[in-house]
């Protein structure tokens, strides 16, 4: 059954490439990466309760990651690893949208964003397979640069967090020092007033004791 589904997926991917050839004219000779054609067909034909296009058609939404990974991915790819699939999307310039509520027509109010993940690429759109040929896989240098930028952003965030923590600790230490100085000052003031009073009345506290 899985072999039949995989064969159907391959045939559909080939048909997408033919469609692109017809729509793109001379550019139709461009060899479309299998990952893109398979992904396009997978989203186009998937059970909408598992994965589907967004209402605007400019992104796709995965509603049930577990079922998508175990049942859908193996029909098109030789694995069921969602992280690997997401990594490939990243290499082709897809970006995961923020986890804001996603408005869909086939869900109940309040369930719009439950465990949903949405991916976007400006050239990956519903009913526009001819745009796929404009999607390019990032080169190693571009991937390296992106990883380095992400690493730098992470380091900056960690440094900011460290500075905030140090500032809080510094503020607490200063507050403790000020409190201790005020306490000592109050104690010295009390001793001074007591001494002054004893001098005025001709009695020294120690002598009286």
């Amino acid at each position: 059954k899985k072999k039949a589904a995989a064969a159907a997926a391959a045939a559909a991917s080939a048909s997408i490439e033919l469609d692109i050839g017809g729509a793109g004219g001379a550019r139709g000779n461009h060899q479309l990466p299998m990952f893109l054609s398979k992904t396009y067909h997978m989203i186009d034909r998937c059970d909408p309760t598992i994965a589907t296009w967004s209402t605007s058609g400019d992104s796709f939404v995965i509603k049930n990651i577990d079922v998508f990974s175990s049942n859908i991915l193996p029909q098109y790819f030789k694995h069921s690893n969602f992280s690997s699939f997401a990594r490939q999307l990243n290499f082709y310039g897809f970006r995961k949208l923020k986890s804001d509520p996603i408005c869909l027509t086939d869900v109940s109010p309040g369930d719009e964003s439950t465990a949903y993940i949405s991916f976007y690429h400006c050239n990956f759109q519903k009913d526009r397979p001819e745009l796929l040929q404009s999607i390019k896989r990032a080169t190693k240098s571009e991937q390296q640069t992106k990883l380095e930028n992400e690493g730098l952003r992470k380091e900056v965030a960690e440094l900011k967090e460290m500075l905030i923590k140090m500032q809080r600790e510094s503020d607490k230490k200063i507050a403790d020092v000020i409190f201790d100085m005020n306490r000592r000052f109050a104690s010295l003031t009390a001793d001074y007033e007591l001494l002054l009073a004893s001098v005025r009345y001709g009695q020294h506290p120690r002598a009286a004791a």
Side-chain angles (χ1 to χ4, degrees), residues 8 16 20 42 61 64 84 93 101-102 104 107 109-110 114-115 124 138 148 166 171 177 182 190 197-198 200:
I16 289 177
I20 293 173
M42 177 173 61
V61 185
N64 192 321
S84 177
I102 301 168
L104 298 169
V107 295
T114 304
F124 195 88
E148 289 175 354
M166 291 173 64
D171 291 345
V177 169
N182 288 336
S198 66
R200 285 177 179 174

Side-chain angles (χ1 to χ4, degrees), residues 35-170:
F35 175 79
L36 293 177
S37 59
K38 286 184 177 182
T39 300
Y40 192 92
H41 172 70
M42 177 173 61
I43 300 304
D44 221 29
R45 296 291 184 88
C46 189
D47 181 341
T49 63
I50 300 174
T52 186
W53 294 101
S54 63
T55 51
S56 60
D58 62 354
S59 63
F60 66 91
V61 185
I62 299 173
K63 302 179 182 180
N64 192 321
I65 297 175
D66 292 336
V67 176
F68 180 81
S69 300
S70 60
N71 294 353
I72 306 302
L73 279 180
Q75 295 180 26
Y76 296 85
F77 305 100
K78 296 179 180 180
H79 65 82
S80 58
N81 190 324
F82 181 79
S83 296
S84 177
F85 173 70
R87 188 160 51 249
Q88 285 294 317
L89 289 173
N90 185 53
F91 287 158
Y92 280 97
F94 285 75
R95 59 187 177 87
K96 187 165 63 173
L97 300 181
K98 294 180 180 179
S99 55
D100 297 330
I102 301 168
C103 296
L104 298 169
T105 58
D106 58 343
V107 295
S108 302
D111 294 335
E112 295 89 345
S113 61
T114 304
Y116 289 176
I117 295 181
S118 183
F119 291 96
Y120 167 84
H121 192 291
C122 61
N123 291 313
F124 195 88
Q125 299 182 21
K126 183 179 181 180
D127 298 327
R128 297 293 304 279
E130 71 278 5
L131 297 177
L132 295 178
Q133 60 187 333
S134 299
I135 300 177
K136 307 296 182 183
R137 182 182 173 92
T139 63
K140 289 185 178 180
S141 60
E142 290 173 338
Q143 293 175 23
Q144 184 64 30
T145 301
K146 186 174 182 180
L147 289 174
E148 289 175 354
N149 290 338
E150 290 176 353
L152 287 174
R153 281 196 293 269
K154 184 178 180 181
E155 289 181 12
V156 170
E158 290 175 351
L159 286 173
K160 285 183 178 179
E161 187 177 347
M162 186 182 300
L163 287 173
I164 292 173
K165 184 179 179 181
M166 291 173 64
Q167 184 65 48
R168 288 174 180 171
E169 292 177 351
S170 177

